[in-house]
Amino acid sequence: MNLPRTLGALRASAFPEQRLRNRRVKDELRENLIARLHANGRPERILPGIIGYDDTVVPQLVNAILSRHNFILLGLRGQAKSRILRALTELLDESTPFVAGCEIHDNPYAPICRRCTALVEREGDAAAIDYLSREERYVEKLATPDVTIADLIGDIDPIKAARGGHDLASEYTIHYGLLPRANRGIFAINELPDLAGKIQVGLFNIMQEGDVQIKGYPVRLPLDVALVFTANPEDYTARGKIVTPLKDRIGSEVRTHYPGSLQEGISITSQEAWQQRGDRALVVPQYVREIVEAIAFAAREDKRVDKRSGVSQRLPITCMENVISNAEQRAIRNREELVVARVGDIYAAMPAITGKLELEYEGEVRGADNVARELIRVAIARTYDSYFTGANMQQVVQWFDLGGEIKLASGAAAAEIVSAIKEIQGLGDKLGTLGVKSKDAPELQVAASEFILEGLHAHKRIGRSEERVFTAGEKPRRPESPVDREEPYRGRRSFN
Ligand SMILES: [Zn+2]
């Protein structure tokens, strides 16, 4: 597209003064949102790639934007808060004209900085115009207690300021901070309560009056910014964490949540995890996807895991990536063409799990590795139940009780163990439930068989050593283990 390059050409273009002069960022977001609602009211088209929020978060966000509010997303870690904020750029114009060379992207029809006011006055319609893309209009900052006014709003040279006498504002040499640089765009602050009170006051002043004090000097900066925030709900509501006038200026509070159903979680994880790597054909069986997701659900319910920080959706995402990598590693080492993920790969993905769990004291005592291993086991038991509740596994269990043993090492080639697996009486018949037939690739048969054995092990009907040798079951030694209850899987209710 040939965009006008001077102010004169801009006047005669699709960006006439009448349209652009008083159109604030929030008006623009509103206009473009309305256009989308007209074209296709389906929530998933308004913020593409945001799954599971169609009936809860999205309608509230739409209202906040229609109301031209600054808003805050309140939610625990890994609830796609930053992703939602980034997706707002979709609601900005494709290109936005500004005075070329301006650090704060001044509106050509209404510049606020001293340089551009003078420039437009001097050059008139010949003033050069440049453009911002949508992405360039999004600025994000993670709040930390050491963020200063200089970082956020800017700094001035006090000597130059003092020399300016009474007409200070026109003489300032301001070194702009992040917020002015986000002028005419969206400015996102993550974890707002971590911002020092003094900085929150500065933010409020900018929002309210366009005035702020820098090193004691009043500076007028009537910025045009859509301010959006995120926070952990408990931090946000804690007394004294957010200065009241700022809280008062945040028009809408929108609560995010974890996926309401296992299926929604699986969809998010499938979208976000790096899966198709291009080198080899990959199969991640549905039961493996269900187990990986069920780990996060189990962790969110587990008393040993800190409820205030939550369990991020990044847990199943990174876990899935490691599961695939372990399967990939096995395929490469064994020169297999087909990569099929197995339950054993989930245990190998523990490094992607432990770091995502904030443990309570009880969990700390137990140790992160043990907690993770137990969560995997709970997830396996629930997933197994969803396929095999009521199935008669007596024959398989008996095979082990009669002294049968099999080693399913996580690195073992499928071709080498598939014949040994077929020796286990009664097991082959059950693979049909998982959609696996006896003429399917050995990788698929091994994976499905291993899932059934892991399921029986999770219910303590058969035993399994650290070296992944499956044997006859022993009397349960730890009857307090949560797996013993064999509870059917229950979906977590969303709280919105
Ligand atoms: Zn300027």
Side-chain angles (χ1 to χ4, degrees):
M1 190 167 46
N2 261 341
L3 295 164
R5 291 290 161 187
T6 63
L7 181 55
L10 190 72
R11 285 186 201 284
S13 73
F15 303 99
E17 176 159 4
Q18 182 198 2
R19 171 155 186 256
L20 205 62
R21 187 181 181 91
N22 295 317
R23 186 172 181 252
R24 316 272 295 170
V25 178
K26 285 178 197 157
D27 297 316
E28 177 185 339
L29 291 170
R30 184 185 141 86
E31 264 177 42
N32 292 329
L33 174 61
I34 289 173
R36 278 192 186 221
L37 289 171
H38 267 303
N40 187 334
R42 298 222 311 277
E44 67 270 24
R45 295 296 167 88
I46 291 159
L47 293 174
I50 308 293
I51 298 172
Y53 285 165
D54 292 356
D55 303 323
T56 52
V57 175
V58 173
Q60 295 184 6
L61 272 177
V62 167
N63 289 345
I65 296 167
L66 290 179
S67 307
R68 300 192 302 185
H69 283 170
N70 297 308
F71 63 86
I72 186 162
L73 297 177
L74 295 180
L76 303 180
R77 66 173 72 185
Q79 293 184 340
K81 297 189 295 295
S82 310
R83 197 194 166 106
I84 292 171
L85 298 186
R86 268 176 229 133
L88 293 174
T89 54
E90 299 275 330
L91 299 175
L92 293 170
D93 292 346
E94 226 169 291
S95 22
T96 299
F98 70 98
V99 181
C102 177
E103 280 183 284
I104 59 169
H105 313 122
D106 263 329
N107 184 335
Y109 298 119
I112 55 170
C113 88
R114 184 180 149 240
R115 167 194 176 269
C116 296
T117 334
L119 186 140
V120 169
E121 206 162 291
R122 195 171 63 240
E123 301 189 9
D125 279 0
I129 300 298
D130 211 341
Y131 292 85
L132 289 171
S133 69
R134 286 170 173 160
E135 292 68 34
E136 288 168 324
R137 296 173 66 197
Y138 180 78
V139 178
E140 194 179 44
K141 175 76 184 158
L142 175 66
T144 52
D146 58 356
V147 170
T148 61
I149 286 277
D151 297 331
L152 207 60
I153 294 162
D155 211 351
I156 54 170
D157 184 335
I159 297 168
K160 281 189 185 168
R163 274 195 207 126
H166 293 302
D167 192 14
L168 288 174
S170 65
E171 294 300 325
Y172 285 153
T173 32
I174 303 174
H175 178 77
Y176 293 115
L178 281 168
L179 183 62
R181 285 172 196 280
N183 189 32
R184 304 184 68 221
I186 299 168
F187 188 54
I189 300 181
N190 286 314
E191 306 304 337
L192 180 64
D194 287 346
L195 219 51
K198 196 171 72 178
I199 315 300
Q200 292 182 26
V201 171
L203 208 56
F204 160 71
N205 287 333
I206 284 278
M207 284 161 83
Q208 178 71 9
E209 312 285 354
D211 287 313
V212 69
Q213 291 211 342
I214 300 178
K215 290 185 174 157
Y217 294 92
V219 176
R220 183 149 171 74
L221 275 178
L223 299 173
D224 174 17
V225 181
L227 281 163
V228 289
F229 309 99
T230 69
N232 179 303
E234 218 165 283
D235 291 345
Y236 187 71
T237 46
R239 212 178 167 76
K241 284 276 201 145
I242 304 282
V243 301
T244 312
L246 177 64
K247 210 175 211 173
D248 225 33
R249 290 290 293 175
I250 298 175
S252 296
E253 294 173 12
V254 178
R255 292 215 168 223
T256 58
H257 53 83
Y258 287 122
S261 70
L262 200 68
Q263 200 45 56
E264 272 174 6
I266 290 172
S267 302
I268 297 171
T269 300
S270 298
Q271 173 181 279
E272 301 293 321
W274 184 47
Q275 301 187 75
Q276 294 304 334
R277 299 167 183 195
D279 313 320
R280 288 171 165 75
L282 167 75
V283 176
V284 181
Q286 180 63 17
Y287 52 84
V288 170
R289 294 188 188 279
E290 289 168 10
I291 294 168
V292 167
E293 211 56 46
I295 296 169
F297 277 72
R300 286 171 196 147
E301 292 163 12
D302 197 296
K303 279 198 211 63
R304 298 166 299 180
V305 177
D306 182 4
K307 292 277 174 298
R308 285 152 304 184
S309 34
V311 177
S312 167
Q313 192 62 24
R314 282 181 281 274
L315 185 152
I317 292 167
T318 52
C319 177
M320 180 58 78
E321 288 170 341
N322 257 10
V323 164
I324 293 169
S325 296
N326 200 60
E328 199 179 17
Q329 181 178 164
R330 172 175 59 246
I332 295 166
R333 286 178 189 272
N334 294 314
R335 300 174 189 280
E336 293 172 326
E337 282 308 309
L338 180 63
V339 179
V340 179
R342 298 180 194 164
V343 175
D345 298 327
I346 301 174
Y347 281 102
M350 293 244 301
I353 299 175
T354 46
K356 313 272 180 321
L357 301 172
E358 293 281 343
L359 297 176
E360 298 279 8
Y361 176 73
E362 200 191 338
E364 296 281 1
V365 169
R366 189 88 184 92
D369 278 7
N370 287 325
V371 171
R373 217 171 276 125
E374 284 158 19
L375 290 170
I376 295 172
R377 213 169 137 166
V378 170
I380 292 170
R382 287 180 185 180
T383 308
Y384 172 89
D385 288 345
S386 75
Y387 286 93
F388 294 108
T389 295
N392 184 353
M393 291 289 178
Q394 202 44 47
Q395 209 181 355
V396 179
V397 173
Q398 212 163 42
W399 186 84
F400 287 99
D401 286 345
L402 294 172
E405 265 191 26
I406 187 165
K407 179 170 182 168
L408 298 179
S410 130
E416 285 166 24
I417 45 182
V418 72
S419 51
I421 278 180
K422 287 188 170 166
E423 304 277 302
I424 304 171
Q425 280 141 32
L427 184 58
D429 307 343
K430 306 294 181 198
L431 303 188
T433 308
L434 301 168
V436 175
K437 298 179 223 43
S438 58
K439 56 181 194 299
D440 279 342
E443 289 86 350
L444 293 168
Q445 296 192 46
V446 169
S449 306
E450 194 205 51
F451 168 48
I452 295 175
L453 298 184
E454 283 284 351
L456 292 172
H457 168 63
H459 285 307
K460 304 203 166 169
R461 296 184 65 190
I462 62 174
R464 196 202 68 210
S465 71
E466 286 295 305
E467 292 73 38
R468 304 197 53 76
V469 178
F470 289 87
T471 55
E474 295 168 33
K475 274 190 175 177
R477 263 172 298 172
R478 293 193 312 270
E480 80 278 12
S481 164
V483 184
D484 285 342
R485 287 184 255 125
E486 290 196 27
E487 281 178 20
Y489 169 74
R490 279 196 310 263
R492 196 178 129 96
R493 217 164 51 86
S494 84
F495 51 77
N496 274 46

